[in-house]
Amino acid sequence: MGRIGAEQLRRTTLARQFPRIGGRDPGAVLDLFDHLGPIQSQVPRAPFVTVSSRLPGVPYEVVRDLFADHELLKTTSLRGTVHTTTRADFVRTDAVCRRAREPMLRRELQLEDIAPADVVAEVERFARHSWRPRNDIVDHMQAWLGERGRSFEANTFTGNLFWGHSGLIRRPKDNHWEKRTDTFHRVAADVAELVPLPDPATALAELIRVHLAAYGPVTRSDLSFFFGVGLGAVDAAVGALGEEVVRLTGPANEPLLDLAEPPTDGDPEPGVRLIPEYDGLLVGYAGPNRTRFCAAEHLAGVWSKVNGVFSPVVLADGRLVATWRTIASGKRSRLQVTMLPGESRLGADALTEPVAALGAVLAGEITDLEIARSGLTSRLG
């Protein structure tokens, strides 16, 4: 069992998170998503900013059209949160999530003589052939279950049991995928050519292989958290991968899992990047393990445990050193960067290229930059 130190672990993962992919066309973006695996996306712009942070220079139209053409699919899936995937990863996450959600459906809807699979089948029947608003799906399922002697209070949580089904994809009311909340849902296979659902255990093993290639080395608990499954399912999937997986010892003597032949062509020193909300540099790991790129004392500044919100962050010198936000006015925006406590203030020059990449992928000009440190704010034109 090999040992890996903290600095080597950080550089190893950075090289996987920032693969060297040539081109900035649709194929390059799909290659990126195939490499990174599912991207958490409850903030609409997050998958767009994931692209600009890993493939600077990709224009807005490229990512928008991949969503509009259903080459990139957004759905409620892992851990009941929103993720964007390629078509190949969609069927894998769907297979894993269908099984994981069955106990919740049975418990929350008090299904005694109705199988969870029958509930799912009715959701899919109703949301096939046309885009359905969330309220319509909930109203239909309330009536359907009522006819079978089951009632429930319609609220956001119970609604998510239906329109949050992992076999449905989401879309906004118009083509502004980077801005709008996704309020329409439809069976994915209606609009995208998908392979049949794999066996859930096989799908989980394939997803873990992808995750190790993009986030590894990781712990068993990291995999359990990310995919929303128990440690037993993780162990079975890792066992199915056999000699593809090796075991390492981490900086704090924690056991780690990695690929025996991981990718080696990424960039361990990606420079300054503007990273989106809920980025994999944080959510790719279970809570106690989110200090690979972030000092422990800074976690509260980027991750609110109360509501689970993750801020957009700035990566510099291989660490998360600041948070950022945009303030829009029409198609023009101002970028505010706030350094984390104790971090030296970044210069405007260091942010020139990341700001340009962000503006390109969001189709909006960023005309002003503010960098705050220790409660002081500098305006940089």
Side-chain angles (χ1 to χ4, degrees):
M1 181 180 292
R3 180 175 291 275
I4 186 168
E7 179 65 12
Q8 183 184 0
L9 181 61
R10 184 180 61 78
R11 288 176 59 85
T12 294
T13 307
L14 284 174
R16 301 182 191 186
Q17 280 288 305
F18 295 88
R20 292 188 174 100
I21 296 175
R24 295 296 184 263
D25 59 357
V29 174
L30 291 176
D31 285 346
L32 175 68
F33 276 79
D34 275 331
H35 172 77
L36 292 177
I39 299 297
Q40 197 160 333
S41 307
Q42 56 259 52
V43 176
R45 71 180 181 183
F48 285 77
V49 183
T50 295
V51 173
S52 67
S53 65
R54 271 70 172 187
L55 297 179
V58 172
Y60 166 74
E61 292 79 12
V62 166
V63 185
R64 180 203 61 196
D65 290 351
L66 287 171
F67 275 108
D69 295 338
H70 308 300
E71 295 286 349
L72 290 177
L73 304 176
K74 192 189 296 186
T75 186
T76 307
S77 57
L78 303 173
R79 309 183 307 282
T81 58
V82 186
H83 284 77
T84 297
T85 65
T86 60
R87 294 178 179 184
D89 275 345
F90 178 88
V91 295
R92 295 168 183 152
T93 57
D94 186 17
V96 170
C97 292
R98 282 173 188 255
R99 172 175 287 183
R101 283 172 63 89
E102 284 185 356
M104 182 183 295
L105 286 170
R106 185 178 291 109
R107 180 180 66 252
E108 298 299 333
L109 298 176
Q110 299 181 354
L111 301 178
E112 297 174 0
D113 52 358
I114 303 173
D118 291 338
V119 174
V120 168
E122 182 59 24
V123 170
E124 291 187 338
R125 188 199 66 77
F126 183 71
R128 185 167 280 120
H129 307 313
S130 64
W131 291 96
R132 297 287 192 175
R134 290 180 178 179
N135 288 343
D136 288 3
I137 295 174
V138 175
D139 290 346
H140 174 79
M141 292 308 298
Q142 202 165 28
W144 187 84
L145 284 167
E147 292 171 357
R148 289 154 180 80
R150 293 289 174 269
S151 62
F152 63 90
E153 179 183 353
N155 54 42
T156 300
F157 176 78
T158 54
N160 186 57
L161 295 175
F162 307 117
W163 52 256
H165 166 47
S166 58
L168 305 183
I169 56 174
R170 309 157 57 112
R171 69 156 299 133
K173 63 181 181 180
D174 53 28
N175 221 20
H176 286 287
W177 294 82
E178 81 288 3
K179 295 179 180 179
R180 309 283 191 241
T181 299
D182 308 302
T183 55
F184 292 85
H185 303 261
R186 188 173 177 181
V187 173
D190 271 1
V191 296
E193 186 175 343
L194 302 175
V195 301
L197 285 178
D199 170 76
T202 300
L204 180 60
E206 292 172 346
L207 287 169
I208 286 177
R209 183 191 292 114
V210 171
H211 196 77
L212 290 174
Y215 295 86
V218 300
T219 67
R220 295 166 65 240
S221 62
D222 292 332
L223 295 172
S224 175
F225 159 76
F226 190 83
F227 294 109
V229 299
L231 290 172
V234 167
D235 292 340
V238 170
L241 292 173
E243 294 183 358
E244 289 187 64
V245 176
V246 295
R247 286 160 174 78
L248 306 172
T249 300
N253 293 319
E254 71 275 25
L256 298 172
L257 301 169
D258 199 9
L259 292 178
E261 297 183 6
T264 58
D265 57 350
D267 188 355
E269 297 180 359
V272 178
R273 305 290 179 107
L274 294 173
I275 305 295
E277 297 90 342
Y278 299 93
D279 191 77
L281 295 182
L282 288 165
V283 301
Y285 309 94
N289 302 329
R290 289 176 179 152
T291 56
R292 189 168 299 191
F293 307 102
C294 182
E297 60 269 23
H298 290 160
L299 270 180
V302 299
W303 169 36
S304 172
K305 291 185 179 181
V306 174
N307 54 19
V309 171
F310 287 81
S311 299
V313 287
V314 180
L315 178 75
D317 296 324
R319 297 179 301 108
L320 302 178
V321 300
T323 60
W324 63 270
R325 66 172 183 152
T326 54
I327 302 174
S329 176
K331 285 197 171 184
R332 299 162 68 91
S333 298
R334 182 169 78 253
L335 183 74
Q336 289 185 338
V337 173
T338 303
M339 305 304 302
L340 293 170
E343 296 290 348
S344 299
R345 186 169 67 84
L346 291 169
D349 290 347
L351 287 159
T352 300
E353 292 185 6
V355 166
L358 181 68
V361 86
L362 295 180
E365 183 182 6
I366 297 175
T367 57
D368 199 10
L369 172 65
E370 298 179 7
I371 303 176
R373 178 172 62 87
S374 302
L376 301 176
T377 300
S378 298
R379 291 177 60 88
L380 305 169

